[in-house]
Amino acid sequence: MKAPPEALLALRGQGVDAIDTPALVVDLDAMDRNIQRMVDFSAKHQIQWRPHAKMHKSAELARLLISAGATGCCVQKTSEAEALAAGGVNDIYISNQVIAPAKLARVAALAQTLATRGGWLTLAVDSALGIERLDQALALSSARVRVLVEIDVGQGRCGVAPGEAAVALVRDIKGRPRLQFGGLHAYHGGAQHLRSASERRLTIANAVQAVNRTCEALQSAGFQIPLITGAGTGTLVLEAASGVYGELQAGSFLFMDADYALNERDPAQPQFEHALFIKTQVISARHSHAVCDAGHKSHAVDSGMPRVHTPPGAEPLVFSNGGDEHGLLTTVRPAAALPAVGQTLWLIPGHCDPTVNLHDHLVGVRGGLEHGVVERIITVDARGALT
């Protein structure tokens, strides 16, 4: 865990003007409203939620979400799980395949640590080899690991084919005392950014059919399914309404990003707000464009360029590629004035997950971006946790 430097800690209690640029800033009021909307949504639909921590990579934020009612957190990497466990998170699901023996030895050690604290480690599997190696790694441990069988519900990535293919894996798990069958992992990542609500409805309807087919095969073989888990921010209303899923893994709802804002909103979707911003400053200006100090090293571009936050009455601006350290700014209206040198701007990242991974710390602001005060510095504990 990397402690915040003194210069960052000294920001607490100061206004937003004191934040140097570029910096990744969390609007804590907007974030809190997003959390409350998820709490209300899950209560209304009587469904569990386990937010994906690969988005924020922060033990502090994972604990905050658990205190609000989340059942635990998801991660994608063993090292992410280790970082969050070191920060006090006790119920962690690695929603990915772990095959390498060296990683599985770390999984076993982590499972033991969490068990001594009354917690649980859960792992996804989609192969007999994954089950065998996990069981072997746990041989010298007294801990059990909860195991979810991942099925491919249309993503075309990991997961066994729906239906009978899952039965053999569950039977294998059931025959190993160190493993506990926890249910099915049925996540469709590709559906999250389908732009139209109708496309998302059709895709998740097909995913639900795949889940039902698998459940029927398992039940015919005499197996009960404790839990179906999946869903993301783009489709959570559909999994919640399906009557099949018992847990939602959505994580981006906490911050939201510019790419999610391009989705047509389902009327049943909670109105999540943008809560993650890059504070940047204009450092140069010409007649055709202005230049700010937030380039690719401060935000990910896999889902497109950041969007410039436009307060009421302000001139809309367009951000374009300026390289590693620079962003180019132009106006929407050709005759409109460009921002002046020294002016502060706020960018909404295109993709929050890899953007957070570029920063050691998040600056939490209470009271809004214009007149707010720095309340806390949030460490990105799992930054660079890729193994």
Side-chain angles (χ1 to χ4, degrees):
M1 185 181 300
K2 186 173 182 181
E6 289 299 323
L8 268 181
L9 294 175
L11 286 174
R12 291 178 298 189
Q14 297 192 57
V16 293
D17 290 346
I19 303 171
D20 201 0
T21 59
L24 199 56
V25 175
V26 178
D27 181 335
L28 296 175
D29 300 303
M31 183 184 77
D32 287 349
R33 289 191 291 270
N34 287 342
I35 294 172
Q36 188 58 53
R37 286 166 186 141
M38 180 59 85
V39 170
D40 295 342
F41 180 84
S42 61
K44 177 181 177 181
H45 292 274
Q46 297 183 317
I47 195 166
Q48 297 176 178
W49 52 297
R50 179 183 289 270
H52 223 304
K54 74 180 180 66
M55 191 279 292
H56 56 74
K57 288 178 168 276
S58 164
E60 178 179 340
L61 293 181
R63 294 195 309 269
L64 176 67
L65 290 163
I66 291 167
S67 70
T71 54
C73 73
C74 298
V75 297
Q76 285 290 81
K77 300 290 187 174
T78 303
S79 51
E80 287 179 334
E82 291 167 332
L84 296 192
V89 181
N90 292 328
D91 193 329
I92 302 173
Y93 171 37
I94 304 176
S95 56
N96 202 358
Q97 310 304 312
V98 183
I99 295 298
K103 284 189 180 70
L104 287 167
R106 290 160 52 195
V107 164
L110 181 58
Q112 186 70 57
T113 297
L114 293 179
T116 61
R117 293 176 358 199
W120 269 98
L121 183 65
T122 306
L123 205 70
V125 299
D126 72 352
S127 68
L129 180 62
I131 294 168
E132 180 183 6
R133 287 188 173 182
L134 174 60
D135 190 43
Q136 290 172 347
L138 291 167
L140 299 179
S141 168
S142 62
R144 298 181 75 200
V145 167
R146 188 181 289 124
V147 180
L148 300 179
V149 172
E150 180 173 3
I151 59 172
D152 182 0
V153 293
Q155 171 77 8
R157 195 166 56 189
C158 295
V160 296
E164 293 293 336
V167 175
L169 296 184
V170 174
R171 185 173 288 115
D172 194 357
I173 293 166
K174 288 281 193 176
R176 299 174 186 269
R178 289 183 285 264
L179 306 182
Q180 176 180 311
F181 175 55
L184 300 178
H185 173 84
Y187 172 68
H188 197 313
Q192 304 311 311
H193 296 279
L194 294 174
R195 294 307 179 202
S196 75
S198 60
E199 284 181 290
R200 296 194 299 275
R201 281 194 292 271
L202 177 60
T203 301
I204 297 304
N206 290 333
V208 170
Q209 287 182 359
V211 171
N212 283 331
R213 190 160 69 251
T214 307
C215 291
E216 289 169 4
L218 287 169
Q219 288 163 353
S220 295
F223 298 119
Q224 297 300 309
I225 303 96
L227 180 71
I228 312 294
T229 181
T233 296
T235 65
L236 62 90
V237 297
L238 304 172
E239 284 90 349
S242 70
V244 171
Y245 285 78
E247 183 179 79
L248 307 175
Q249 296 177 11
S252 294
F253 79 91
L254 187 68
F255 288 162
M256 295 301 285
D257 54 35
D259 195 61
Y260 264 120
L262 296 176
N263 282 2
E264 177 191 3
R265 180 172 170 264
D266 189 305
Q269 175 91 351
Q271 188 71 60
F272 297 122
E273 306 173 46
H274 293 302
L276 186 72
F277 300 87
I278 300 158
K279 183 188 178 187
T280 186
Q281 185 178 52
V282 177
I283 57 174
S284 179
R286 295 168 58 180
H287 72 280
S288 58
H289 65 272
V291 182
C292 68
D293 61 357
H296 297 339
K297 289 181 180 177
S298 64
H299 56 80
V301 298
D302 60 299
S303 295
M305 295 298 124
R307 182 161 61 84
V308 183
H309 172 63
T310 307
E315 188 66 44
L317 297 170
V318 175
F319 182 102
S320 59
N321 179 9
D324 290 352
E325 311 293 353
H326 303 88
L328 304 182
L329 302 161
T330 54
T331 57
V332 173
R333 295 187 303 109
L338 288 161
V341 172
Q343 183 174 334
T344 292
L345 297 173
W346 299 90
L347 308 178
I348 302 166
H351 190 179
C352 47
D353 305 32
T355 295
V356 170
N357 194 51
L358 294 170
H359 295 260
D360 289 324
H361 302 94
L362 312 175
V363 181
V365 169
R366 183 76 66 188
L369 301 180
E370 190 172 353
H371 303 295
V373 172
V374 176
E375 180 180 283
R376 67 179 81 161
I377 306 299
I378 301 164
T379 300
V380 184
D381 304 279
R383 181 191 177 183
L386 303 177
T387 62

